[in-house]
Amino acid sequence: MFKSFLDPLSGVHVPHRKNTAHLEAVRMPPPGSVVIPTVMHIGAPAKPIVKAGDKVAVGQLIAESGGFVSAPVHASVSGTVKKVEDIVLSNGRQAPAIYIESDGEMRPYEGIHKPEISSLADLAEAVRDSGIVGLGGAGFPTSVKLAIKDISKVEYFVINGAECEPYITSDTRTMLDYSKMLERGVRRIVELTKPKAVYLGIEKNKPKAIKKLKQIFRDDPTIVVKGLPPMYPQGGEKVLIYNTTGRIVPEGKLPLDVGVVIMNVTTLANIEQYLETGMPLVEKLITVDGSAVKEPKNIFAPIGTRLSDVFEFCGGFKEEPKKILYGGPMMGTAVPDLSVPVLKNTNAVLAFAEKDAEVPKETPCIRCGNCVNHCPMRLNPPAIAKAFNNKDAEGLYKQRVNLCMECGACSFICPAHQPIVQRHKLAKILVRDWQNAQKGGKA
Ligand code: SF4
Ligand code: SF4
């Protein structure tokens, strides 16, 4: 019934540019100060519980979870809170941020303790306390995924190691350098959720990671390491679920509705690390790359580190960057300047020189159909464009624009350089307002 809304054989071949895949992550020294936003996740902002002048240590709670879909925030350096002040993030959200001046000591908080885990409910609560959110880019609070009332519904556990965006290699390094941590995390979740099978999906352009993990799980036929064609967006949640389990997540439904729990490899490794050490999420493994960067690297950076400090640690720029991105070139967001911080869901920061930052000139749609043929959700961007230009929210709804996962495959393949993803983002707002008006709510 829902098959027509997912075509996993679609997608596009993008240049991989995994320039840093061979580089083990190095830990950068603590920056002079950090700025830690209280909203680095989907859902309600966390509520600050510190004020200017307070002394804090690494891993100390500085903002409490603000609701069920929310995540607490912890100090990533030891030092002194300088101020708590609103910040506007690159996605347009505004929320308080906590500014901490580092004392350079990276003193761990003395209240750090390992959680006791004997059930899935314990795990969900511990993950909630850890502040961990989807670290592959989405930023969805992971504890919500684990709040499973009936574990008999869990048939498959899918682990996302696809890492299909160009340039980004942070998940690859997690799979290579923290494979034992990942293994313990997989076995723990399997023990608590008892799925009938586990699939670890990895694009075939990461042969070392596939080989290593196949070796680790060789004795357990229920844990399958599956090499997947390197076809963007292989790591899209719905695409990966289909390509590993054959299940289709219908519109408006969650993976659990079709018996699947899905998690990114780095998220899983970080959960296990928290369970073994008690240290919450305070640093991120990120890829730093792009044509303007002098020394591309994989690094561990304290959350809240300004991008200026990140790039300085990577040797600065070989030429002035004209475009800087959080994330990869397909789904990443441009940042306004280098003062913005590393967030929980930052998996890469890229800086591009002028030649790679040019936005090609948009020309009229030539009705070639490329975008339709390559969309994994089988959407029809020209029809959506027509409804959008007519401000026809009902038409947009009927075209199922809400299914668009904003992967950018259509924009990448479009010879007319149409701003398809940007249009779909705006179209979703039109649909949301129309639906609210239908329900008698505010537009
Ligand atoms: S951005 Fe949306 S419309 Fe374009 S290919 Fe991806 S899912 Fe399809
Ligand atoms: S790929 Fe571009 S030019 Fe071709 S139909 Fe889609 S929007 Fe039009």
Side-chain angles (χ1 to χ4, degrees):
M1 167 182 184
F2 298 103
K3 199 138 186 149
S4 60
F5 298 118
L6 181 69
D7 183 357
L9 299 177
S10 296
V12 288
H13 290 286
V14 293
H16 299 146
R17 301 202 177 136
K18 304 283 191 183
N19 312 315
T20 54
H22 62 294
L23 297 173
E24 200 170 324
V26 288
R27 189 162 274 105
M28 68 176 284
S33 62
V34 292
V35 46
I36 308 180
T38 53
V39 58
M40 295 182 275
H41 47 264
I42 291 170
K47 295 176 188 156
I49 58 166
V50 290
K51 57 183 185 324
D54 287 353
K55 299 281 183 209
V56 293
V58 179
Q60 183 174 339
L61 184 70
I62 54 173
E64 291 173 340
S65 173
F68 179 64
V69 183
S70 184
V73 173
H74 302 83
S76 59
V77 295
S78 55
T80 308
V81 176
K82 297 314 283 181
K83 60 182 176 177
V84 179
E85 195 172 272
D86 271 13
I87 185 175
V88 179
L89 296 169
S90 60
N91 62 6
R93 285 188 80 178
Q94 183 171 350
I98 297 158
Y99 292 70
I100 304 172
E101 191 173 81
S102 168
D103 59 16
E105 293 176 11
M106 296 300 274
R107 202 170 15 90
Y109 179 52
E110 57 192 23
I112 295 293
H113 64 279
K114 285 196 278 181
E116 295 287 328
I117 305 296
S118 57
S119 67
L120 186 59
D122 290 346
L123 178 69
E125 196 181 321
V127 170
R128 185 172 182 78
D129 292 343
S130 73
I132 291 174
V133 302
L135 304 181
F140 189 75
T142 307
S143 60
V144 178
K145 277 189 183 180
L146 292 169
I148 302 166
K149 290 196 182 91
D150 177 4
I151 61 163
S152 69
K153 287 196 169 150
V154 181
E155 293 180 69
Y156 297 107
F157 180 35
V158 176
I159 305 160
N160 193 345
E163 200 167 55
C164 56
E165 272 262 10
Y167 291 94
I168 307 177
T169 63
S170 46
D171 282 349
T172 303
R173 289 320 309 181
T174 296
M175 291 187 279
L176 291 172
D177 306 332
Y178 299 91
S179 54
K180 285 287 172 190
M181 182 81 75
L182 186 59
E183 178 195 1
R184 294 194 294 275
V186 172
R187 295 200 191 280
R188 190 191 293 267
I189 293 202
V190 167
E191 175 64 27
L192 293 172
T193 58
K194 306 206 173 354
K196 67 180 180 196
V198 178
Y199 290 108
L200 207 173
I202 307 173
E203 281 196 342
K204 285 181 182 163
N205 60 1
K206 302 167 193 66
K208 283 187 185 162
I210 293 175
K211 188 173 170 199
K212 187 159 199 170
L213 291 164
K214 275 193 169 171
Q215 175 73 12
I216 283 177
F217 292 115
R218 68 190 180 285
D219 294 334
D220 188 341
T222 66
I223 302 177
V224 180
V225 178
K226 196 163 179 176
L228 300 163
M231 175 78 88
Y232 182 86
Q234 189 66 263
E237 194 169 88
K238 291 184 179 183
V239 176
L240 187 66
I241 288 173
Y242 182 79
N243 283 342
T244 50
T245 67
R247 296 279 165 95
I248 291 176
V249 184
E251 184 178 1
K253 297 287 180 187
L254 296 170
L256 192 57
D257 294 319
V258 295
V260 177
V261 173
I262 181 166
M263 215 173 267
N264 161 272
V265 281
T266 300
T267 307
L268 192 48
N270 274 269
I271 289 175
E272 186 57 27
Q273 188 176 40
Y274 173 68
L275 299 178
E276 293 179 15
T277 65
M279 180 57 78
L281 182 64
V282 293
E283 68 174 5
K284 266 315 294 286
L285 198 177
I286 61 174
T287 298
V288 187
D289 199 357
S291 53
V293 179
K294 244 187 203 163
E295 297 163 17
K297 285 182 171 61
N298 280 307
I299 67 168
F300 285 105
I303 288 166
T305 303
R306 291 177 180 82
L307 298 199
S308 49
D309 290 323
V310 166
F311 286 116
E312 193 183 316
F313 180 65
C314 294
F317 299 116
K318 46 190 180 196
E319 59 182 284
E320 194 193 343
K322 291 291 182 189
K323 190 177 209 174
I324 296 166
L325 296 177
Y326 275 137
M330 300 298 286
M331 288 189 77
T333 47
V335 303
D337 58 56
L338 295 174
S339 68
V340 298
V342 171
L343 306 173
K344 286 182 180 179
N345 63 342
T346 306
N347 52 9
V349 290
L350 307 178
F352 293 103
E354 187 158 19
K355 67 177 171 40
D356 299 311
E358 268 173 33
V359 179
K361 197 170 175 306
E362 178 189 337
T363 55
C365 171
I366 55 169
R367 308 248 154 215
C368 64
N370 276 355
C371 53
V372 182
N373 294 335
H374 290 269
C375 173
M377 305 311 288
R378 292 247 180 112
L379 297 178
N380 186 334
I384 291 171
K386 189 174 172 201
F388 180 76
N389 291 338
N390 291 333
K391 302 265 183 293
D392 176 7
E394 190 175 355
L396 290 168
Y397 172 76
K398 286 181 177 159
Q399 288 294 334
R400 294 187 142 73
V401 70
N402 281 347
L403 277 178
C404 175
M405 55 180 161
E406 298 169 18
C407 67
C410 50
S411 301
F412 176 82
I413 208 77
C414 174
H417 310 298
Q418 289 274 309
I420 303 173
V421 178
Q422 293 88 331
R423 189 185 291 134
H424 289 192
K425 285 183 183 178
L426 295 171
K428 286 184 192 176
I429 295 170
L430 277 183
V431 172
R432 187 198 61 200
D433 290 348
W434 172 75
Q435 286 176 318
N436 282 342
Q438 297 287 103
K439 288 184 214 149
K442 273 203 296 184

